[in-house]
Amino acid sequence: VCEVALMLLFRFNFDIISIKMVAYFIAFCFVAFYVTYYVIQEISRANQTVERTNHLARVDYLTQLPNSLVVEETIKQLLLENRNFTLLHIDIDNFKQINLNYSYTTGDEVLRQVANILDEYAKKNGAFVGRIGGEEFIVLLKDFAPAYAILEADSINKFIIGYEFETQTELKLSITTSIGLSSSPDNGMN
């Protein structure tokens, strides 16, 4: 900007009109810069908002696991690819009693801890885990033989039963789960 302003001043021999023109030019350049900067910042904020919204639309807020929409998409994709997989449907037994007897905050903490347990399991075993709502979770074991999946479900169940769930009130809880299994293609293709 300064170089162009100096060139204009030399071109017009530093008369009053050229000085005014250069001042207008410099002012215009600064205004244009700040307007452009503001627009770019607003676009960046809008993009971040869209990304955050897309993330929240696909992730369960409480557990940070993929939500039921992503679980369905993943199952459909595995079916389209004709992949062998076993679906473990995990349900926390008597969860309503945890909420009623100890508080909803304690129930939420138990859900987060179960989610963490299942997420760690999934990372170690190349599985997929998601929350489908309430106290229900899905674990997808890809390319597992159904008999082996039964052993894995039993292992998950025993680990959760033996786990001491910590709460904000320093109360330690034990819970039980029920796990249902279905294998594709052995138990169906839909």
Side-chain angles (χ1 to χ4, degrees):
V1 173
C2 293
E3 290 174 357
V4 173
L6 284 173
M7 286 175 44
L8 288 173
L9 283 175
F10 281 117
R11 169 75 170 96
F12 295 114
N13 296 324
F14 291 94
D15 64 2
I16 296 293
I17 294 174
S18 65
I19 292 172
K20 283 183 179 178
M21 294 296 276
V22 168
Y24 289 142
F25 173 75
I26 291 171
F28 174 77
C29 287
F30 279 113
V31 168
F33 171 78
Y34 284 111
V35 167
T36 304
Y37 178 79
Y38 175 76
V39 168
I40 289 171
Q41 290 299 315
E42 288 301 310
I43 290 171
S44 176
R45 279 191 211 105
N47 284 339
Q48 289 172 352
T49 301
V50 168
E51 286 176 14
R52 211 174 310 127
T53 302
N54 287 337
H55 174 75
L56 291 173
R58 302 180 63 76
V59 173
D60 175 64
Y61 178 76
L62 179 65
T63 63
Q64 296 301 300
L65 291 177
N67 63 17
S68 59
L69 172 70
V70 179
V71 169
E72 272 189 51
E73 289 173 355
T74 304
I75 292 170
K76 286 178 183 176
Q77 186 61 38
L78 289 171
L79 288 170
L80 283 174
E81 294 171 0
N82 290 322
R83 296 266 312 263
N84 293 340
F85 68 93
T86 298
L87 182 147
L88 308 180
H89 182 234
I90 302 170
D91 183 71
I92 300 172
D93 297 332
N94 303 312
F95 184 73
K96 184 176 181 180
Q97 294 305 314
I98 293 171
N99 283 334
L100 293 175
N101 294 336
Y102 302 106
S103 80
Y104 285 91
T105 303
T106 300
D108 288 350
E109 188 56 38
V110 167
L111 289 173
R112 278 192 284 277
Q113 291 178 48
V114 168
N116 288 337
I117 290 168
L118 295 176
D119 193 39
E120 285 297 315
Y121 171 83
K123 287 175 184 172
K124 289 178 184 173
N125 295 288
F128 171 86
V129 64
R131 181 176 179 212
I132 57 172
E135 70 277 7
E136 298 177 5
F137 298 88
I138 292 289
V139 175
L140 293 172
L141 303 173
K142 301 169 193 168
D143 301 319
F144 270 62
Y148 187 66
I150 291 170
L151 295 174
E152 288 297 302
D154 188 50
S155 173
I156 292 169
N157 203 23
K158 285 179 181 174
F159 185 84
I160 290 174
I161 288 170
Y163 190 84
E164 285 190 342
F165 290 84
E166 297 179 10
T167 66
Q168 292 176 346
T169 60
E170 298 182 17
L171 172 72
K172 302 227 188 252
L173 290 175
S174 294
I175 64 169
T176 59
T177 58
S178 298
I179 302 178
L181 292 97
S182 180
S183 294
S184 177
D186 295 358
N187 300 121
M189 294 294 293
N190 58 26

